[in-house]
Short mmCIF file of all heavy atoms in Angstrom, two decimals:
data_model
loop_
_atom_site.label_atom_id
_atom_site.label_comp_id
_atom_site.label_asym_id
_atom_site.label_seq_id
_atom_site.Cartn_x
_atom_site.Cartn_y
_atom_site.Cartn_z
N THR A 927 76.00 91.38 100.11
CA THR A 927 76.64 91.20 101.41
C THR A 927 75.87 91.91 102.52
O THR A 927 75.78 91.39 103.64
CB THR A 927 78.05 91.79 101.35
OG1 THR A 927 77.99 93.14 100.91
CG2 THR A 927 78.90 90.98 100.38
N VAL A 928 75.31 93.05 102.27
CA VAL A 928 74.50 93.75 103.28
C VAL A 928 73.29 94.36 102.59
O VAL A 928 73.23 94.48 101.38
CB VAL A 928 75.32 94.86 103.97
CG1 VAL A 928 76.42 94.28 104.84
CG2 VAL A 928 75.91 95.81 102.95
N GLU A 929 72.34 94.72 103.39
CA GLU A 929 71.12 95.28 102.82
C GLU A 929 71.36 96.67 102.28
O GLU A 929 70.74 97.12 101.34
CB GLU A 929 70.02 95.30 103.86
CG GLU A 929 69.59 93.92 104.30
CD GLU A 929 68.54 93.98 105.39
OE1 GLU A 929 68.14 95.07 105.79
OE2 GLU A 929 68.14 92.88 105.84
N SER A 930 72.28 97.36 102.86
CA SER A 930 72.55 98.71 102.41
C SER A 930 73.95 99.08 102.86
O SER A 930 74.53 98.46 103.73
CB SER A 930 71.53 99.70 102.94
OG SER A 930 71.64 99.77 104.35
N GLN A 931 74.49 100.11 102.24
CA GLN A 931 75.82 100.58 102.61
C GLN A 931 75.85 101.09 104.03
O GLN A 931 76.81 100.92 104.76
CB GLN A 931 76.24 101.66 101.63
CG GLN A 931 77.67 102.17 101.86
CD GLN A 931 78.08 103.19 100.84
OE1 GLN A 931 77.27 103.60 100.01
NE2 GLN A 931 79.33 103.63 100.92
N LYS A 932 74.78 101.71 104.48
CA LYS A 932 74.71 102.24 105.83
C LYS A 932 74.77 101.12 106.86
O LYS A 932 75.49 101.22 107.86
CB LYS A 932 73.41 103.03 106.00
CG LYS A 932 73.29 103.71 107.37
CD LYS A 932 72.02 104.52 107.44
CE LYS A 932 71.91 105.22 108.80
NZ LYS A 932 71.94 104.29 109.91
N GLU A 933 74.07 100.01 106.58
CA GLU A 933 74.11 98.87 107.52
C GLU A 933 75.50 98.28 107.60
O GLU A 933 75.98 97.92 108.68
CB GLU A 933 73.09 97.83 107.07
CG GLU A 933 73.01 96.64 108.03
CD GLU A 933 72.02 95.60 107.55
OE1 GLU A 933 71.36 95.82 106.51
OE2 GLU A 933 71.92 94.54 108.21
N ALA A 934 76.16 98.17 106.46
CA ALA A 934 77.52 97.63 106.46
C ALA A 934 78.46 98.50 107.27
O ALA A 934 79.29 98.01 108.05
CB ALA A 934 78.03 97.49 105.03
N MET A 935 78.35 99.81 107.11
CA MET A 935 79.22 100.72 107.85
C MET A 935 78.95 100.63 109.35
O MET A 935 79.88 100.71 110.17
CB MET A 935 79.02 102.15 107.35
CG MET A 935 79.52 102.38 105.94
SD MET A 935 81.28 102.04 105.76
CE MET A 935 81.97 103.25 106.86
N ASP A 936 77.68 100.48 109.74
CA ASP A 936 77.34 100.35 111.15
C ASP A 936 77.98 99.11 111.77
O ASP A 936 78.53 99.14 112.88
CB ASP A 936 75.83 100.31 111.33
CG ASP A 936 75.18 101.66 110.99
OD1 ASP A 936 75.93 102.66 110.99
OD2 ASP A 936 73.97 101.69 110.72
N LYS A 937 77.89 97.99 111.06
CA LYS A 937 78.43 96.74 111.60
C LYS A 937 79.95 96.78 111.66
O LYS A 937 80.56 96.29 112.59
CB LYS A 937 77.96 95.55 110.75
CG LYS A 937 76.46 95.27 110.89
CD LYS A 937 76.07 94.05 110.14
CE LYS A 937 74.58 93.76 110.29
NZ LYS A 937 74.23 93.44 111.69
N LEU A 938 80.57 97.37 110.66
CA LEU A 938 82.04 97.50 110.68
C LEU A 938 82.49 98.42 111.80
O LEU A 938 83.50 98.18 112.46
CB LEU A 938 82.54 98.02 109.33
CG LEU A 938 82.53 97.04 108.17
CD1 LEU A 938 82.92 97.73 106.88
CD2 LEU A 938 83.47 95.88 108.44
N SER A 939 81.71 99.44 112.06
CA SER A 939 82.06 100.36 113.15
C SER A 939 81.99 99.66 114.51
O SER A 939 82.83 99.86 115.40
CB SER A 939 81.10 101.58 113.13
OG SER A 939 81.26 102.30 111.94
N SER A 940 80.97 98.81 114.68
CA SER A 940 80.86 98.07 115.94
C SER A 940 82.03 97.09 116.11
O SER A 940 82.50 96.87 117.23
CB SER A 940 79.53 97.31 115.99
OG SER A 940 79.48 96.34 114.96
N MET A 941 82.52 96.53 115.01
CA MET A 941 83.68 95.64 115.09
C MET A 941 84.92 96.42 115.46
O MET A 941 85.76 95.98 116.26
CB MET A 941 83.90 94.93 113.75
CG MET A 941 82.96 93.77 113.49
SD MET A 941 83.34 92.99 111.91
CE MET A 941 85.05 92.55 112.19
N MET A 942 85.08 97.60 114.90
CA MET A 942 86.25 98.42 115.19
C MET A 942 86.29 98.83 116.66
O MET A 942 87.36 98.96 117.25
CB MET A 942 86.26 99.66 114.31
CG MET A 942 86.39 99.35 112.82
SD MET A 942 87.99 98.68 112.37
CE MET A 942 89.00 100.12 112.64
N GLU A 943 85.08 99.04 117.24
CA GLU A 943 85.05 99.43 118.65
C GLU A 943 85.56 98.34 119.57
O GLU A 943 86.04 98.62 120.67
CB GLU A 943 83.60 99.80 119.01
CG GLU A 943 83.12 101.09 118.36
CD GLU A 943 81.66 101.37 118.66
OE1 GLU A 943 81.07 100.52 119.38
OE2 GLU A 943 81.14 102.40 118.21
N LEU A 944 85.50 97.05 119.11
CA LEU A 944 85.99 95.94 119.94
C LEU A 944 87.49 96.06 120.17
O LEU A 944 87.99 95.76 121.25
CB LEU A 944 85.69 94.60 119.26
CG LEU A 944 84.24 94.12 119.30
CD1 LEU A 944 84.13 92.84 118.47
CD2 LEU A 944 83.81 93.86 120.74
N TRP A 965 76.55 87.98 109.45
CA TRP A 965 76.12 88.90 108.40
C TRP A 965 77.11 88.92 107.22
O TRP A 965 76.77 89.40 106.15
CB TRP A 965 75.95 90.30 108.97
CG TRP A 965 77.24 90.90 109.51
CD1 TRP A 965 77.75 90.69 110.74
CD2 TRP A 965 78.12 91.78 108.82
NE1 TRP A 965 78.91 91.38 110.89
CE2 TRP A 965 79.17 92.10 109.71
CE3 TRP A 965 78.12 92.37 107.55
CZ2 TRP A 965 80.22 92.92 109.37
CZ3 TRP A 965 79.14 93.20 107.21
CH2 TRP A 965 80.19 93.49 108.10
N MET A 966 78.33 88.40 107.43
CA MET A 966 79.31 88.35 106.34
C MET A 966 79.09 87.09 105.52
O MET A 966 79.27 85.98 106.02
CB MET A 966 80.74 88.36 106.90
CG MET A 966 81.19 89.69 107.44
SD MET A 966 82.95 89.66 107.87
CE MET A 966 83.19 91.34 108.43
#
Side-chain angles (χ1 to χ4, degrees):
T927 55
V928 292
E929 296 177 0
S930 65
Q931 184 177 5
K932 183 177 181 303
E933 183 181 357
M935 292 301 297
D936 291 341
K937 291 185 180 295
L938 286 174
S939 297
S940 64
M941 283 181 57
M942 296 291 291
E943 291 176 359
L944 286 175
W965 63 276
M966 287 187 179

